[in-house]
Amino acid sequence: MGNVILSTAYLAPVQYYTKLYAYEDVCIEAEENYLKQTYRNRCHIASANGMQALSIPIEKPDTLKCLTKDIRVSEHGNWRHRHWHALVSAYNMSPFFEYYADDFQPFYERKYRFLFDLNEALRELVCSLIPLAVSVKYSTTYLAEYESGDYRERIRPKHVPKDDAFVQQPYYQVFQDKYGFLPNLSIVDLLFNMGPESLLILRDSFRLQTELL
């Protein structure tokens, strides 16, 4: 496939990673103004109590607008400890958590100054573990319109915009017997539960436009 542009995201959902799987060239938006209540600073996981949201507290200037790349990570509420504890509690019994835990734990021990840097470091790790051979560049100026696949605002937690190219394929989840299959959770849910088969789920969850004709 051709080009796609995405926002940065914290442990982005499966839908996001199907774009990284399918597109030859990926642009991560670095010049946008920060938007609240998006995947830029939050993710969803499957816990013993159902779907759980994990949000990174942020610091932003006292201005109306601020570039996402300038958003700083706050240490408020000891979030790094809480997020890692939540991941351990949710996935300790999953088939592949023990295999990948040492890769992720350092991200919850190191203090990142900027949200964008943390997000991108985690994305690079996930791509290396799945693995996804993806060519990523960063925007140098903000474009209100993009030439092809623009998913900057189409992958959001509060609503599900139309995306015919994404068809979530079910996979094993630890608490599925209790809550049923929970779709489009963070990529770590897929990775910890399916390990090397994560790539196959991403492949099968992406539908070529020609298949819709």
Side-chain angles (χ1 to χ4, degrees):
M1 302 252 330
N3 302 324
V4 67
I5 188 167
L6 302 164
S7 65
T8 187
Y10 172 53
L11 296 176
V14 172
Q15 181 187 11
Y16 186 102
Y17 276 85
T18 62
K19 311 310 176 190
L20 296 180
Y21 165 82
Y23 284 84
E24 296 175 355
D25 295 300
V26 175
C27 181
I28 302 294
E29 179 62 74
E31 300 297 329
E32 64 175 3
N33 289 317
Y34 181 75
L35 294 176
K36 298 179 180 179
Q37 299 183 348
T38 67
Y39 286 122
R40 288 163 180 80
N41 73 321
R42 73 181 61 193
C43 68
H44 292 151
I45 64 173
S47 73
N49 296 317
M51 190 174 71
Q52 179 180 357
L54 301 178
S55 297
I56 298 177
I58 62 168
E59 297 176 354
K60 60 189 298 289
D62 294 329
T63 56
L64 184 61
K65 296 180 179 180
C66 177
L67 295 181
T68 298
K69 68 179 182 180
D70 294 331
I71 295 293
R72 296 173 184 262
V73 174
S74 170
E75 291 303 311
H76 178 74
N78 198 18
W79 74 268
R80 290 181 292 115
H81 172 78
R82 290 189 296 101
H83 282 211
W84 182 245
H85 178 73
L87 290 172
V88 172
S89 297
Y91 297 109
N92 191 44
M93 299 302 294
S94 65
F96 293 95
F97 179 77
E98 183 177 355
Y99 185 79
Y100 296 119
D102 288 345
D103 293 305
F104 284 92
Q105 188 171 4
F107 290 91
Y108 298 93
E109 296 172 344
R110 173 184 172 184
K111 293 183 179 180
Y112 278 80
R113 187 177 183 185
F114 293 100
L115 176 67
F116 192 92
D117 294 339
L118 171 60
N119 287 352
E120 289 307 296
L122 280 167
R123 180 194 56 75
E124 290 175 357
L125 171 66
V126 171
C127 286
S128 71
L129 295 176
I130 289 179
L132 288 173
V134 56
S135 174
V136 171
K137 62 182 179 181
Y138 299 99
S139 62
T140 56
T141 185
Y142 180 76
L143 298 177
E145 296 182 2
Y146 195 70
E147 58 208 45
S148 55
D150 187 350
Y151 287 92
R152 289 174 292 185
E153 302 307 323
R154 294 174 63 187
I155 303 177
R156 302 189 64 168
K158 289 293 185 179
H159 62 280
V160 183
K162 186 176 179 61
D163 183 2
D164 290 333
F166 177 64
V167 181
Q168 174 72 78
Q169 294 300 306
Y171 56 87
Y172 168 81
Q173 292 176 331
V174 174
F175 303 107
Q176 188 166 344
D177 289 345
K178 188 175 182 180
Y179 298 107
F181 178 74
L182 300 176
N184 206 27
L185 296 180
S186 167
I187 190 63
V188 295
D189 184 83
L190 176 60
L191 191 63
F192 293 154
N193 283 309
M194 299 301 292
E197 294 186 35
S198 298
L199 187 63
L200 301 180
I201 298 298
L202 294 179
R203 180 198 67 187
D204 294 343
S205 295
F206 182 83
R207 179 182 294 175
L208 290 171
Q209 296 304 303
T210 54
E211 296 175 352
L212 302 176
L213 300 178

